[in-house]
Amino acid sequence: MKAQDEINFNRISKAINYIQANFKNQPSLEEIAEEVNLSPFHFQRLFKDWAGTTPKRFLQYISISYAKKLLQENDKTLFDTAVETGFSGSSRLHDLFISVEGMTPGEYKNGGENLKINYSYSATPFGNILTASTDKGICHIAFYDDEFAAFAILKSKFPAANYQQCETLEHQNVLQIFHKDWTEISQIKLHLKGTDFQLKVWEALLKIPTGKLSTYGILANKINQPNASRAVGTAVGSNPVAFLIPCHRVIQTSGALGGYHWGTDRKMAMIGWEASLADTLQHQDK
């Protein structure tokens, strides 16, 4: 490691430790920058280059992680949680949860209480899938080997929701993506929760054409975060709707397949199937 790189690494490490130790005080950018003897502007750029996110966003992640632990304690109210996390009131905690988690702190605390989720099991060319939806759209698609284990994973996300095994029209539309030209399929609505960053990555994935591939670096550039390839990879791996959001179309810059939550053999089969489908459609247009 070059001397300057080592200095920068130590500065960012010190800043991260400072944020983790002082998040309840919600330190400002200026306060953190002063701790590592840099100007706020220079520190902001350096931190984003090394950590893949801004100091403010990192502070938010630390804060919300702590708040989520408190909310899991039955005797903690939203106001108590907000104050103990370092906020002046529950409104700021509410805004933070909406920004980072895509749900209110109350919704997180009650585990999806009063939320109705329909789910169904289906077969596809690449294995069995569990599909789930709310009245707002598809919220979960996962390949599985064991039905009970697959449902347990779904239920762990919203433990207090009301579940009904029912194949809805949205579920039927999802199955069509395995058999038809996607341009002929009715629009499928999604009901996803994720950070702003995750949602941007998932939106970028949806723009990769059938039969084409991308890399983590290209995706990072697409969302104007060229130094966040590793964070992009994490967001790709947390995709909540398998195949529909095509995370399988992302490979390493070297050309290697890279990892896949549901197995590299399945990923390879999907890529080959889509390439064949795209080639067939191309010849039909000629």
Side-chain angles (χ1 to χ4, degrees), residues 141 195 197-206 208 214-220 223 228-252 257-262 267:
I141 300 175
T195 67
F197 183 84
Q198 287 175 323
L199 292 173
K200 286 179 182 178
V201 172
W202 299 340
E203 183 179 3
L205 288 172
L206 287 168
I208 304 173
S214 186
T215 68
Y216 300 106
I218 291 175
L219 281 179
I223 63 171
S229 295
R230 185 171 297 178
V232 165
T234 301
V236 169
S238 61
N239 169 27
V241 284
F243 196 82
L244 186 57
I245 294 180
C247 55
H248 58 279
R249 295 178 190 165
V250 184
I251 62 174
Q252 296 177 358
L257 279 183
Y260 186 58
H261 184 75
W262 290 281
K267 179 176 183 176

mmCIF file of all heavy atoms in Angstrom, residues 141 195 197-206 208 214-220 223 228-252 257-262 267:
data_model
loop_
_atom_site.group_PDB
_atom_site.id
_atom_site.type_symbol
_atom_site.label_atom_id
_atom_site.label_comp_id
_atom_site.label_asym_id
_atom_site.label_seq_id
_atom_site.Cartn_x
_atom_site.Cartn_y
_atom_site.Cartn_z
ATOM 1 N N ILE A 141 -40.085 -13.091 -4.585
ATOM 2 C CA ILE A 141 -39.986 -14.275 -5.438
ATOM 3 C C ILE A 141 -38.680 -14.969 -5.067
ATOM 4 O O ILE A 141 -37.618 -14.335 -5.054
ATOM 5 C CB ILE A 141 -39.962 -13.931 -6.942
ATOM 6 C CG1 ILE A 141 -41.228 -13.183 -7.364
ATOM 7 C CG2 ILE A 141 -39.832 -15.211 -7.774
ATOM 8 C CD1 ILE A 141 -41.209 -12.718 -8.821
ATOM 9 N N THR A 195 -33.357 0.463 0.514
ATOM 10 C CA THR A 195 -32.766 1.793 0.599
ATOM 11 C C THR A 195 -32.834 2.465 -0.767
ATOM 12 O O THR A 195 -33.070 1.818 -1.792
ATOM 13 C CB THR A 195 -31.307 1.705 1.043
ATOM 14 O OG1 THR A 195 -30.548 1.054 0.004
ATOM 15 C CG2 THR A 195 -31.166 0.892 2.327
ATOM 16 N N PHE A 197 -30.380 3.514 -2.397
ATOM 17 C CA PHE A 197 -29.298 2.922 -3.184
ATOM 18 C C PHE A 197 -29.734 1.595 -3.777
ATOM 19 O O PHE A 197 -29.527 1.323 -4.967
ATOM 20 C CB PHE A 197 -28.058 2.734 -2.312
ATOM 21 C CG PHE A 197 -26.857 2.203 -3.047
ATOM 22 C CD1 PHE A 197 -26.020 3.054 -3.749
ATOM 23 C CD2 PHE A 197 -26.571 0.848 -3.045
ATOM 24 C CE1 PHE A 197 -24.918 2.575 -4.435
ATOM 25 C CE2 PHE A 197 -25.475 0.353 -3.725
ATOM 26 C CZ PHE A 197 -24.649 1.214 -4.427
ATOM 27 N N GLN A 198 -30.339 0.737 -2.966
ATOM 28 C CA GLN A 198 -30.798 -0.560 -3.463
ATOM 29 C C GLN A 198 -31.817 -0.394 -4.577
ATOM 30 O O GLN A 198 -31.749 -1.082 -5.605
ATOM 31 C CB GLN A 198 -31.414 -1.371 -2.318
ATOM 32 C CG GLN A 198 -30.401 -1.922 -1.341
ATOM 33 C CD GLN A 198 -31.065 -2.599 -0.162
ATOM 34 O OE1 GLN A 198 -32.110 -2.162 0.328
ATOM 35 N NE2 GLN A 198 -30.467 -3.678 0.314
ATOM 36 N N LEU A 199 -32.755 0.513 -4.392
ATOM 37 C CA LEU A 199 -33.795 0.718 -5.399
ATOM 38 C C LEU A 199 -33.199 1.197 -6.721
ATOM 39 O O LEU A 199 -33.640 0.792 -7.799
ATOM 40 C CB LEU A 199 -34.838 1.722 -4.885
ATOM 41 C CG LEU A 199 -35.694 1.234 -3.710
ATOM 42 C CD1 LEU A 199 -36.574 2.371 -3.188
ATOM 43 C CD2 LEU A 199 -36.560 0.050 -4.123
ATOM 44 N N LYS A 200 -32.165 2.036 -6.645
ATOM 45 C CA LYS A 200 -31.497 2.503 -7.864
ATOM 46 C C LYS A 200 -30.811 1.338 -8.579
ATOM 47 O O LYS A 200 -30.858 1.248 -9.814
ATOM 48 C CB LYS A 200 -30.466 3.586 -7.515
ATOM 49 C CG LYS A 200 -31.075 4.935 -7.157
ATOM 50 C CD LYS A 200 -29.981 5.940 -6.812
ATOM 51 C CE LYS A 200 -30.590 7.280 -6.408
ATOM 52 N NZ LYS A 200 -29.523 8.259 -6.028
ATOM 53 N N VAL A 201 -30.175 0.468 -7.813
ATOM 54 C CA VAL A 201 -29.504 -0.693 -8.406
ATOM 55 C C VAL A 201 -30.524 -1.620 -9.044
ATOM 56 O O VAL A 201 -30.336 -2.099 -10.172
ATOM 57 C CB VAL A 201 -28.670 -1.445 -7.348
ATOM 58 C CG1 VAL A 201 -28.124 -2.754 -7.920
ATOM 59 C CG2 VAL A 201 -27.513 -0.574 -6.857
ATOM 60 N N TRP A 202 -31.628 -1.894 -8.347
ATOM 61 C CA TRP A 202 -32.658 -2.786 -8.889
ATOM 62 C C TRP A 202 -33.287 -2.200 -10.145
ATOM 63 O O TRP A 202 -33.599 -2.922 -11.086
ATOM 64 C CB TRP A 202 -33.718 -3.062 -7.819
ATOM 65 C CG TRP A 202 -33.167 -3.743 -6.602
ATOM 66 C CD1 TRP A 202 -31.990 -4.454 -6.522
ATOM 67 C CD2 TRP A 202 -33.725 -3.774 -5.289
ATOM 68 N NE1 TRP A 202 -31.796 -4.916 -5.246
ATOM 69 C CE2 TRP A 202 -32.830 -4.526 -4.461
ATOM 70 C CE3 TRP A 202 -34.892 -3.248 -4.717
ATOM 71 C CZ2 TRP A 202 -33.096 -4.741 -3.106
ATOM 72 C CZ3 TRP A 202 -35.151 -3.476 -3.369
ATOM 73 C CH2 TRP A 202 -34.260 -4.211 -2.584
ATOM 74 N N GLU A 203 -33.464 -0.884 -10.161
ATOM 75 C CA GLU A 203 -34.007 -0.232 -11.362
ATOM 76 C C GLU A 203 -33.032 -0.381 -12.530
ATOM 77 O O GLU A 203 -33.439 -0.626 -13.672
ATOM 78 C CB GLU A 203 -34.265 1.245 -11.080
ATOM 79 C CG GLU A 203 -34.898 1.989 -12.244
ATOM 80 C CD GLU A 203 -35.162 3.450 -11.939
ATOM 81 O OE1 GLU A 203 -34.807 3.919 -10.846
ATOM 82 O OE2 GLU A 203 -35.716 4.138 -12.818
ATOM 83 N N ALA A 204 -31.736 -0.255 -12.245
ATOM 84 C CA ALA A 204 -30.720 -0.429 -13.281
ATOM 85 C C ALA A 204 -30.712 -1.858 -13.811
ATOM 86 O O ALA A 204 -30.522 -2.091 -15.008
ATOM 87 C CB ALA A 204 -29.342 -0.049 -12.733
ATOM 88 N N LEU A 205 -30.936 -2.828 -12.931
ATOM 89 C CA LEU A 205 -31.004 -4.233 -13.355
ATOM 90 C C LEU A 205 -32.144 -4.444 -14.340
ATOM 91 O O LEU A 205 -32.014 -5.193 -15.317
ATOM 92 C CB LEU A 205 -31.192 -5.140 -12.140
ATOM 93 C CG LEU A 205 -29.998 -5.321 -11.197
ATOM 94 C CD1 LEU A 205 -30.413 -6.087 -9.950
ATOM 95 C CD2 LEU A 205 -28.857 -6.030 -11.901
ATOM 96 N N LEU A 206 -33.271 -3.799 -14.089
ATOM 97 C CA LEU A 206 -34.440 -3.959 -14.959
ATOM 98 C C LEU A 206 -34.192 -3.423 -16.368
ATOM 99 O O LEU A 206 -34.904 -3.780 -17.302
ATOM 100 C CB LEU A 206 -35.645 -3.244 -14.340
ATOM 101 C CG LEU A 206 -36.261 -3.932 -13.114
ATOM 102 C CD1 LEU A 206 -37.248 -2.993 -12.417
ATOM 103 C CD2 LEU A 206 -36.958 -5.223 -13.522
ATOM 104 N N ILE A 208 -31.395 -3.931 -18.079
ATOM 105 C CA ILE A 208 -30.511 -4.814 -18.844
ATOM 106 C C ILE A 208 -31.383 -5.664 -19.766
ATOM 107 O O ILE A 208 -32.227 -6.419 -19.289
ATOM 108 C CB ILE A 208 -29.686 -5.738 -17.916
ATOM 109 C CG1 ILE A 208 -28.887 -4.916 -16.900
ATOM 110 C CG2 ILE A 208 -28.751 -6.613 -18.747
ATOM 111 C CD1 ILE A 208 -28.184 -5.774 -15.855
ATOM 112 N N SER A 214 -24.285 -7.548 -17.914
ATOM 113 C CA SER A 214 -23.627 -6.346 -17.424
ATOM 114 C C SER A 214 -22.634 -6.761 -16.345
ATOM 115 O O SER A 214 -22.516 -7.944 -16.008
ATOM 116 C CB SER A 214 -24.657 -5.361 -16.859
ATOM 117 O OG SER A 214 -24.038 -4.137 -16.515
ATOM 118 N N THR A 215 -21.900 -5.804 -15.820
ATOM 119 C CA THR A 215 -20.957 -6.062 -14.728
ATOM 120 C C THR A 215 -21.285 -5.134 -13.570
ATOM 121 O O THR A 215 -22.013 -4.152 -13.719
ATOM 122 C CB THR A 215 -19.497 -5.828 -15.163
ATOM 123 O OG1 THR A 215 -19.310 -4.419 -15.410
ATOM 124 C CG2 THR A 215 -19.159 -6.624 -16.406
ATOM 125 N N TYR A 216 -20.724 -5.443 -12.414
ATOM 126 C CA TYR A 216 -20.957 -4.607 -11.244
ATOM 127 C C TYR A 216 -20.419 -3.192 -11.478
ATOM 128 O O TYR A 216 -21.031 -2.212 -11.059
ATOM 129 C CB TYR A 216 -20.292 -5.231 -10.015
ATOM 130 C CG TYR A 216 -20.812 -6.619 -9.704
ATOM 131 C CD1 TYR A 216 -20.043 -7.753 -9.975
ATOM 132 C CD2 TYR A 216 -22.077 -6.802 -9.165
ATOM 133 C CE1 TYR A 216 -20.522 -9.026 -9.703
ATOM 134 C CE2 TYR A 216 -22.565 -8.075 -8.894
ATOM 135 C CZ TYR A 216 -21.787 -9.180 -9.173
ATOM 136 O OH TYR A 216 -22.275 -10.442 -8.919
ATOM 137 N N GLY A 217 -19.277 -3.102 -12.159
ATOM 138 C CA GLY A 217 -18.702 -1.790 -12.452
ATOM 139 C C GLY A 217 -19.578 -0.963 -13.378
ATOM 140 O O GLY A 217 -19.754 0.240 -13.170
ATOM 141 N N ILE A 218 -20.139 -1.604 -14.393
ATOM 142 C CA ILE A 218 -21.027 -0.891 -15.323
ATOM 143 C C ILE A 218 -22.265 -0.402 -14.592
ATOM 144 O O ILE A 218 -22.719 0.736 -14.785
ATOM 145 C CB ILE A 218 -21.412 -1.805 -16.506
ATOM 146 C CG1 ILE A 218 -20.193 -2.055 -17.401
ATOM 147 C CG2 ILE A 218 -22.548 -1.193 -17.321
ATOM 148 C CD1 ILE A 218 -20.444 -3.047 -18.519
ATOM 149 N N LEU A 219 -22.822 -1.248 -13.739
ATOM 150 C CA LEU A 219 -24.000 -0.850 -12.968
ATOM 151 C C LEU A 219 -23.679 0.338 -12.064
ATOM 152 O O LEU A 219 -24.486 1.261 -11.922
ATOM 153 C CB LEU A 219 -24.510 -2.014 -12.123
ATOM 154 C CG LEU A 219 -25.335 -3.087 -12.837
ATOM 155 C CD1 LEU A 219 -25.729 -4.175 -11.844
ATOM 156 C CD2 LEU A 219 -26.588 -2.497 -13.476
ATOM 157 N N ALA A 220 -22.489 0.312 -11.452
ATOM 158 C CA ALA A 220 -22.087 1.411 -10.584
ATOM 159 C C ALA A 220 -22.035 2.720 -11.368
ATOM 160 O O ALA A 220 -22.466 3.770 -10.873
ATOM 161 C CB ALA A 220 -20.726 1.110 -9.951
ATOM 162 N N ILE A 223 -25.587 4.196 -12.185
ATOM 163 C CA ILE A 223 -26.269 4.921 -11.115
ATOM 164 C C ILE A 223 -25.408 6.068 -10.572
ATOM 165 O O ILE A 223 -25.663 6.598 -9.490
ATOM 166 C CB ILE A 223 -26.670 3.980 -9.964
ATOM 167 C CG1 ILE A 223 -25.435 3.367 -9.301
ATOM 168 C CG2 ILE A 223 -27.610 2.884 -10.458
ATOM 169 C CD1 ILE A 223 -25.764 2.600 -8.024
ATOM 170 N N ALA A 228 -18.494 2.479 -6.315
ATOM 171 C CA ALA A 228 -19.313 1.688 -5.390
ATOM 172 C C ALA A 228 -19.609 0.295 -5.921
ATOM 173 O O ALA A 228 -20.672 -0.264 -5.653
ATOM 174 C CB ALA A 228 -20.610 2.430 -5.092
ATOM 175 N N SER A 229 -18.685 -0.293 -6.666
ATOM 176 C CA SER A 229 -18.926 -1.624 -7.249
ATOM 177 C C SER A 229 -19.241 -2.665 -6.186
ATOM 178 O O SER A 229 -20.116 -3.516 -6.363
ATOM 179 C CB SER A 229 -17.711 -2.076 -8.063
ATOM 180 O OG SER A 229 -17.519 -1.248 -9.178
ATOM 181 N N ARG A 230 -18.528 -2.601 -5.058
ATOM 182 C CA ARG A 230 -18.760 -3.585 -4.001
ATOM 183 C C ARG A 230 -20.148 -3.407 -3.391
ATOM 184 O O ARG A 230 -20.861 -4.388 -3.139
ATOM 185 C CB ARG A 230 -17.686 -3.449 -2.931
ATOM 186 C CG ARG A 230 -17.770 -4.512 -1.846
ATOM 187 C CD ARG A 230 -16.559 -4.463 -0.935
ATOM 188 N NE ARG A 230 -15.329 -4.759 -1.661
ATOM 189 C CZ ARG A 230 -14.116 -4.750 -1.111
ATOM 190 N NH1 ARG A 230 -13.993 -4.462 0.180
ATOM 191 N NH2 ARG A 230 -13.051 -5.028 -1.832
ATOM 192 N N ALA A 231 -20.542 -2.152 -3.162
ATOM 193 C CA ALA A 231 -21.879 -1.888 -2.613
ATOM 194 C C ALA A 231 -22.951 -2.294 -3.610
ATOM 195 O O ALA A 231 -24.016 -2.787 -3.228
ATOM 196 C CB ALA A 231 -22.014 -0.402 -2.270
ATOM 197 N N VAL A 232 -22.674 -2.107 -4.898
ATOM 198 C CA VAL A 232 -23.609 -2.544 -5.933
ATOM 199 C C VAL A 232 -23.787 -4.056 -5.869
ATOM 200 O O VAL A 232 -24.903 -4.578 -5.970
ATOM 201 C CB VAL A 232 -23.115 -2.116 -7.331
ATOM 202 C CG1 VAL A 232 -23.860 -2.876 -8.430
ATOM 203 C CG2 VAL A 232 -23.313 -0.622 -7.522
ATOM 204 N N GLY A 233 -22.671 -4.771 -5.691
ATOM 205 C CA GLY A 233 -22.746 -6.221 -5.589
ATOM 206 C C GLY A 233 -23.611 -6.667 -4.422
ATOM 207 O O GLY A 233 -24.394 -7.623 -4.542
ATOM 208 N N THR A 234 -23.511 -5.959 -3.306
ATOM 209 C CA THR A 234 -24.340 -6.280 -2.141
ATOM 210 C C THR A 234 -25.808 -6.042 -2.436
ATOM 211 O O THR A 234 -26.671 -6.851 -2.077
ATOM 212 C CB THR A 234 -23.905 -5.437 -0.927
ATOM 213 O OG1 THR A 234 -22.527 -5.699 -0.643
ATOM 214 C CG2 THR A 234 -24.742 -5.770 0.297
ATOM 215 N N ALA A 235 -26.109 -4.922 -3.124
ATOM 216 C CA ALA A 235 -27.496 -4.603 -3.475
ATOM 217 C C ALA A 235 -28.058 -5.623 -4.464
ATOM 218 O O ALA A 235 -29.222 -6.027 -4.365
ATOM 219 C CB ALA A 235 -27.578 -3.192 -4.056
ATOM 220 N N VAL A 236 -27.237 -6.045 -5.423
ATOM 221 C CA VAL A 236 -27.659 -7.074 -6.384
ATOM 222 C C VAL A 236 -27.998 -8.364 -5.637
ATOM 223 O O VAL A 236 -29.015 -9.011 -5.908
ATOM 224 C CB VAL A 236 -26.557 -7.331 -7.431
ATOM 225 C CG1 VAL A 236 -26.876 -8.570 -8.266
ATOM 226 C CG2 VAL A 236 -26.402 -6.118 -8.347
ATOM 227 N N GLY A 237 -27.158 -8.724 -4.673
ATOM 228 C CA GLY A 237 -27.372 -9.954 -3.918
ATOM 229 C C GLY A 237 -28.589 -9.918 -3.013
ATOM 230 O O GLY A 237 -29.101 -10.966 -2.620
ATOM 231 N N SER A 238 -29.077 -8.709 -2.689
ATOM 232 C CA SER A 238 -30.244 -8.590 -1.810
ATOM 233 C C SER A 238 -31.541 -8.420 -2.588
ATOM 234 O O SER A 238 -32.583 -8.107 -2.015
ATOM 235 C CB SER A 238 -30.064 -7.407 -0.845
ATOM 236 O OG SER A 238 -29.929 -6.184 -1.564
ATOM 237 N N ASN A 239 -31.494 -8.630 -3.894
ATOM 238 C CA ASN A 239 -32.682 -8.551 -4.744
ATOM 239 C C ASN A 239 -33.801 -9.441 -4.185
ATOM 240 O O ASN A 239 -33.613 -10.651 -4.044
ATOM 241 C CB ASN A 239 -32.299 -8.988 -6.166
ATOM 242 C CG ASN A 239 -33.509 -9.205 -7.058
ATOM 243 O OD1 ASN A 239 -34.562 -8.605 -6.867
ATOM 244 N ND2 ASN A 239 -33.359 -10.070 -8.040
ATOM 245 N N PRO A 240 -34.977 -8.866 -3.870
ATOM 246 C CA PRO A 240 -36.043 -9.658 -3.236
ATOM 247 C C PRO A 240 -36.939 -10.421 -4.202
ATOM 248 O O PRO A 240 -37.778 -11.198 -3.763
ATOM 249 C CB PRO A 240 -36.855 -8.595 -2.484
ATOM 250 C CG PRO A 240 -36.708 -7.378 -3.344
ATOM 251 C CD PRO A 240 -35.315 -7.433 -3.932
ATOM 252 N N VAL A 241 -36.793 -10.175 -5.495
ATOM 253 C CA VAL A 241 -37.669 -10.858 -6.464
ATOM 254 C C VAL A 241 -36.818 -11.514 -7.546
ATOM 255 O O VAL A 241 -36.428 -10.892 -8.535
ATOM 256 C CB VAL A 241 -38.725 -9.908 -7.085
ATOM 257 C CG1 VAL A 241 -39.836 -9.633 -6.103
ATOM 258 C CG2 VAL A 241 -38.109 -8.593 -7.532
ATOM 259 N N ALA A 242 -36.519 -12.797 -7.341
ATOM 260 C CA ALA A 242 -35.649 -13.545 -8.243
ATOM 261 C C ALA A 242 -36.174 -13.539 -9.666
ATOM 262 O O ALA A 242 -37.388 -13.599 -9.895
ATOM 263 C CB ALA A 242 -35.522 -14.988 -7.761
ATOM 264 N N PHE A 243 -35.267 -13.459 -10.613
ATOM 265 C CA PHE A 243 -35.512 -13.528 -12.054
ATOM 266 C C PHE A 243 -36.271 -12.322 -12.579
ATOM 267 O O PHE A 243 -35.911 -11.761 -13.606
ATOM 268 C CB PHE A 243 -36.261 -14.819 -12.440
ATOM 269 C CG PHE A 243 -36.181 -15.113 -13.919
ATOM 270 C CD1 PHE A 243 -35.067 -15.744 -14.441
ATOM 271 C CD2 PHE A 243 -37.197 -14.745 -14.777
ATOM 272 C CE1 PHE A 243 -34.969 -15.997 -15.809
ATOM 273 C CE2 PHE A 243 -37.115 -14.994 -16.138
ATOM 274 C CZ PHE A 243 -35.986 -15.626 -16.643
ATOM 275 N N LEU A 244 -37.360 -11.909 -11.907
ATOM 276 C CA LEU A 244 -38.127 -10.762 -12.386
ATOM 277 C C LEU A 244 -37.254 -9.512 -12.408
ATOM 278 O O LEU A 244 -37.242 -8.763 -13.381
ATOM 279 C CB LEU A 244 -39.360 -10.551 -11.504
ATOM 280 C CG LEU A 244 -40.339 -9.468 -11.954
ATOM 281 C CD1 LEU A 244 -40.833 -9.725 -13.357
ATOM 282 C CD2 LEU A 244 -41.524 -9.389 -10.989
ATOM 283 N N ILE A 245 -36.514 -9.261 -11.322
ATOM 284 C CA ILE A 245 -35.420 -8.287 -11.343
ATOM 285 C C ILE A 245 -34.175 -9.100 -11.666
ATOM 286 O O ILE A 245 -33.717 -9.891 -10.841
ATOM 287 C CB ILE A 245 -35.281 -7.549 -10.007
ATOM 288 C CG1 ILE A 245 -36.500 -6.669 -9.754
ATOM 289 C CG2 ILE A 245 -34.007 -6.697 -10.010
ATOM 290 C CD1 ILE A 245 -36.453 -5.896 -8.457
ATOM 291 N N PRO A 246 -33.642 -8.959 -12.879
ATOM 292 C CA PRO A 246 -32.659 -9.933 -13.404
ATOM 293 C C PRO A 246 -31.239 -9.778 -12.873
ATOM 294 O O PRO A 246 -30.309 -9.447 -13.610
ATOM 295 C CB PRO A 246 -32.722 -9.687 -14.909
ATOM 296 C CG PRO A 246 -33.053 -8.230 -15.027
ATOM 297 C CD PRO A 246 -33.988 -7.939 -13.875
ATOM 298 N N CYS A 247 -31.053 -10.070 -11.590
ATOM 299 C CA CYS A 247 -29.705 -9.991 -11.021
ATOM 300 C C CYS A 247 -28.789 -11.063 -11.608
ATOM 301 O O CYS A 247 -27.561 -10.956 -11.525
ATOM 302 C CB CYS A 247 -29.754 -10.103 -9.501
ATOM 303 S SG CYS A 247 -30.600 -11.552 -8.867
ATOM 304 N N HIS A 248 -29.377 -12.074 -12.245
ATOM 305 C CA HIS A 248 -28.567 -13.130 -12.856
ATOM 306 C C HIS A 248 -27.827 -12.637 -14.099
ATOM 307 O O HIS A 248 -26.938 -13.321 -14.602
ATOM 308 C CB HIS A 248 -29.452 -14.325 -13.236
ATOM 309 C CG HIS A 248 -30.571 -13.991 -14.174
ATOM 310 N ND1 HIS A 248 -31.768 -13.432 -13.740
ATOM 311 C CD2 HIS A 248 -30.684 -14.119 -15.511
ATOM 312 C CE1 HIS A 248 -32.562 -13.250 -14.782
ATOM 313 N NE2 HIS A 248 -31.930 -13.647 -15.865
ATOM 314 N N ARG A 249 -28.178 -11.452 -14.604
ATOM 315 C CA ARG A 249 -27.522 -10.906 -15.797
ATOM 316 C C ARG A 249 -26.257 -10.121 -15.470
ATOM 317 O O ARG A 249 -25.661 -9.492 -16.352
ATOM 318 C CB ARG A 249 -28.500 -9.996 -16.560
ATOM 319 C CG ARG A 249 -29.700 -10.742 -17.118
ATOM 320 C CD ARG A 249 -30.678 -9.818 -17.820
ATOM 321 N NE ARG A 249 -31.915 -10.531 -18.139
ATOM 322 C CZ ARG A 249 -33.055 -9.943 -18.498
ATOM 323 N NH1 ARG A 249 -33.106 -8.627 -18.572
ATOM 324 N NH2 ARG A 249 -34.122 -10.660 -18.756
ATOM 325 N N VAL A 250 -25.830 -10.148 -14.229
ATOM 326 C CA VAL A 250 -24.623 -9.420 -13.814
ATOM 327 C C VAL A 250 -23.488 -10.418 -13.584
ATOM 328 O O VAL A 250 -23.641 -11.378 -12.840
ATOM 329 C CB VAL A 250 -24.877 -8.614 -12.528
ATOM 330 C CG1 VAL A 250 -23.638 -7.796 -12.170
ATOM 331 C CG2 VAL A 250 -26.080 -7.705 -12.702
ATOM 332 N N ILE A 251 -22.361 -10.172 -14.244
ATOM 333 C CA ILE A 251 -21.191 -11.034 -14.099
ATOM 334 C C ILE A 251 -19.990 -10.180 -13.698
ATOM 335 O O ILE A 251 -20.069 -8.950 -13.658
ATOM 336 C CB ILE A 251 -20.886 -11.796 -15.405
ATOM 337 C CG1 ILE A 251 -20.559 -10.798 -16.533
ATOM 338 C CG2 ILE A 251 -22.050 -12.691 -15.787
ATOM 339 C CD1 ILE A 251 -20.102 -11.455 -17.824
ATOM 340 N N GLN A 252 -18.876 -10.831 -13.420
ATOM 341 C CA GLN A 252 -17.667 -10.108 -13.052
ATOM 342 C C GLN A 252 -17.015 -9.508 -14.295
ATOM 343 O O GLN A 252 -17.218 -9.987 -15.416
ATOM 344 C CB GLN A 252 -16.694 -11.047 -12.347
ATOM 345 C CG GLN A 252 -17.220 -11.584 -11.020
ATOM 346 C CD GLN A 252 -16.279 -12.566 -10.371
ATOM 347 O OE1 GLN A 252 -15.226 -12.891 -10.913
ATOM 348 N NE2 GLN A 252 -16.638 -13.047 -9.191
ATOM 349 N N LEU A 257 -18.685 -15.860 -14.011
ATOM 350 C CA LEU A 257 -20.097 -15.707 -13.654
ATOM 351 C C LEU A 257 -20.290 -14.947 -12.350
ATOM 352 O O LEU A 257 -21.216 -14.155 -12.214
ATOM 353 C CB LEU A 257 -20.763 -17.084 -13.521
ATOM 354 C CG LEU A 257 -21.200 -17.780 -14.807
ATOM 355 C CD1 LEU A 257 -21.896 -19.086 -14.462
ATOM 356 C CD2 LEU A 257 -22.117 -16.892 -15.634
ATOM 357 N N GLY A 258 -19.420 -15.181 -11.383
ATOM 358 C CA GLY A 258 -19.634 -14.585 -10.074
ATOM 359 C C GLY A 258 -20.654 -15.397 -9.290
ATOM 360 O O GLY A 258 -21.183 -16.397 -9.772
ATOM 361 N N GLY A 259 -20.945 -14.976 -8.090
ATOM 362 C CA GLY A 259 -21.877 -15.711 -7.243
ATOM 363 C C GLY A 259 -23.329 -15.463 -7.631
ATOM 364 O O GLY A 259 -23.647 -14.582 -8.416
ATOM 365 N N TYR A 260 -24.205 -16.283 -7.063
ATOM 366 C CA TYR A 260 -25.640 -16.127 -7.278
ATOM 367 C C TYR A 260 -26.354 -16.772 -6.094
ATOM 368 O O TYR A 260 -26.010 -17.900 -5.700
ATOM 369 C CB TYR A 260 -26.069 -16.788 -8.587
ATOM 370 C CG TYR A 260 -27.520 -16.537 -8.959
ATOM 371 C CD1 TYR A 260 -28.011 -15.240 -9.112
ATOM 372 C CD2 TYR A 260 -28.401 -17.597 -9.155
ATOM 373 C CE1 TYR A 260 -29.323 -15.006 -9.455
ATOM 374 C CE2 TYR A 260 -29.731 -17.373 -9.502
ATOM 375 C CZ TYR A 260 -30.183 -16.071 -9.654
ATOM 376 O OH TYR A 260 -31.501 -15.845 -9.984
ATOM 377 N N HIS A 261 -27.306 -16.060 -5.540
ATOM 378 C CA HIS A 261 -27.978 -16.513 -4.320
ATOM 379 C C HIS A 261 -28.588 -17.903 -4.476
ATOM 380 O O HIS A 261 -28.617 -18.684 -3.524
ATOM 381 C CB HIS A 261 -29.069 -15.503 -3.936
ATOM 382 C CG HIS A 261 -29.759 -15.806 -2.651
ATOM 383 N ND1 HIS A 261 -29.169 -15.579 -1.420
ATOM 384 C CD2 HIS A 261 -30.974 -16.346 -2.384
ATOM 385 C CE1 HIS A 261 -30.006 -15.956 -0.466
ATOM 386 N NE2 HIS A 261 -31.111 -16.422 -1.015
ATOM 387 N N TRP A 262 -29.067 -18.199 -5.678
ATOM 388 C CA TRP A 262 -29.746 -19.479 -5.906
ATOM 389 C C TRP A 262 -28.892 -20.454 -6.727
ATOM 390 O O TRP A 262 -29.426 -21.350 -7.361
ATOM 391 C CB TRP A 262 -31.098 -19.239 -6.572
ATOM 392 C CG TRP A 262 -32.075 -18.592 -5.629
ATOM 393 C CD1 TRP A 262 -32.795 -19.206 -4.641
ATOM 394 C CD2 TRP A 262 -32.403 -17.204 -5.552
ATOM 395 N NE1 TRP A 262 -33.552 -18.280 -3.969
ATOM 396 C CE2 TRP A 262 -33.333 -17.049 -4.499
ATOM 397 C CE3 TRP A 262 -31.998 -16.071 -6.268
ATOM 398 C CZ2 TRP A 262 -33.873 -15.822 -4.146
ATOM 399 C CZ3 TRP A 262 -32.531 -14.842 -5.917
ATOM 400 C CH2 TRP A 262 -33.457 -14.728 -4.859
ATOM 401 N N LYS A 267 -27.867 -19.918 -12.479
ATOM 402 C CA LYS A 267 -27.538 -18.654 -13.139
ATOM 403 C C LYS A 267 -27.072 -18.905 -14.570
ATOM 404 O O LYS A 267 -27.499 -18.217 -15.510
ATOM 405 C CB LYS A 267 -26.450 -17.923 -12.344
ATOM 406 C CG LYS A 267 -26.008 -16.596 -12.948
ATOM 407 C CD LYS A 267 -24.992 -15.898 -12.033
ATOM 408 C CE LYS A 267 -24.590 -14.538 -12.574
ATOM 409 N NZ LYS A 267 -23.681 -13.818 -11.649
#
